[in-house]
Amino acid sequence: MHDTSHYDKCRTLMNVHKTHHQKRVLIFSLLTLMNMYFSITLPITHNLSLLYGTAAYGLIFGTFSILYSAGILTLIFFATPEKPKLLLLAGLLTILGMIIGIVNLFIGIAMLIVCVSQIPDSKQAVWIQKQEGYPYFNERFDEQMQYFGKEYQPDHAFDNLHTAEMLDMPEEGSPDFTVSPKDKMPEIPDIPDDIL
């Protein structure tokens, strides 16, 4: 039997990473909403449509900024500590958005801080992935693998249920579930009035 003393530490770290990721997604969502608000109000309040010579610039700029911010938020949602490449891509898109003016400068800096805060978790996640027992870190799972040599496989597959045919029921019914006629039912005795 191999050493399982690190299982508790690894499970705890994975739970901490999950909590940190949820907090980062929440903060990033708020920052994205703020950026969307500024993307819509900035062209209107500063009359940028006159600057670029088209009345539709504000609408186009705001719409593209909203879609761009939503794309970055989607990347952050899927950029768990185990997937640092998605985090790097979200950071690069944030920087690009700041350069071309789609992401507000101050909000973009806050978004980058949120991205950078995940780097220690990602380093720990790389270490956890190399540990024996990953991703379950469960002694019972290890025992099952030791005895049976594979993960649990159900006896019956649940795929293609919509194509399964229903079995026909026999006309006469099952002998286990027959109901006796009323005349064979025992009668309920009368209850004397003095008991009530």
Side-chain angles (χ1 to χ4, degrees):
M1 188 85 177
H2 59 273
D3 181 30
T4 61
S5 59
H6 63 286
Y7 279 17
D8 286 336
K9 179 181 179 182
C10 291
R11 278 195 304 259
T12 303
L13 282 174
M14 287 175 74
N15 288 333
V16 168
H17 293 170
K18 184 178 179 182
T19 304
H20 287 175
H21 179 68
Q22 290 170 346
K23 289 178 182 177
R24 274 191 290 273
V25 169
L26 178 64
I27 293 169
F28 214 91
S29 300
L30 294 174
L31 291 171
T32 302
L33 287 174
M34 289 171 55
N35 187 59
M36 289 178 181
Y37 172 76
F38 288 124
S39 297
I40 293 171
T41 58
L42 184 68
I44 296 170
T45 56
H46 290 85
N47 204 4
L48 292 179
S49 59
L50 296 177
L51 181 64
Y52 288 91
T54 174
Y57 174 76
L59 178 65
I60 294 170
F61 179 84
T63 304
F64 184 69
S65 179
I66 287 171
L67 294 174
Y68 194 86
S69 298
I72 296 173
L73 179 61
T74 304
L75 281 174
I76 287 294
F77 180 78
F78 290 108
T80 58
E82 293 83 14
K83 300 174 184 173
K85 290 181 182 177
L86 290 178
L87 177 70
L88 178 64
L89 182 59
L92 291 175
L93 286 175
T94 302
I95 292 170
L96 179 64
M98 291 166 53
I99 291 171
I100 60 177
I102 292 176
V103 176
N104 181 287
L105 180 65
F106 298 109
I107 294 174
I109 291 171
M111 288 176 168
L112 288 176
I113 291 171
V114 171
C115 290
V116 169
S117 71
Q118 184 173 321
I119 292 174
D121 286 354
S122 292
K123 287 181 179 180
Q124 287 177 345
V126 169
W127 175 80
I128 289 172
Q129 288 175 339
K130 294 177 182 176
Q131 301 308 306
E132 190 171 355
Y134 178 81
Y136 304 107
F137 298 112
N138 187 316
E139 291 84 359
R140 290 193 63 174
F141 178 78
D142 292 343
E143 287 176 17
Q144 180 177 337
M145 290 296 287
Q146 181 181 0
Y147 292 129
F148 301 107
K150 60 180 181 177
E151 293 186 35
Y152 172 75
Q153 299 293 327
D155 293 334
H156 305 285
F158 290 107
D159 52 345
N160 298 326
L161 287 179
H162 62 281
T163 60
E165 293 183 19
M166 298 227 11
L167 299 175
D168 291 333
M169 293 293 295
E171 293 286 329
E172 61 275 352
S174 173
D176 297 337
F177 300 106
T178 56
V179 179
S180 60
K182 283 188 175 183
D183 58 326
K184 291 185 181 179
M185 295 283 293
E187 290 187 19
I188 299 174
D190 289 335
I191 302 172
D193 292 334
D194 57 341
I195 293 178
L196 298 172

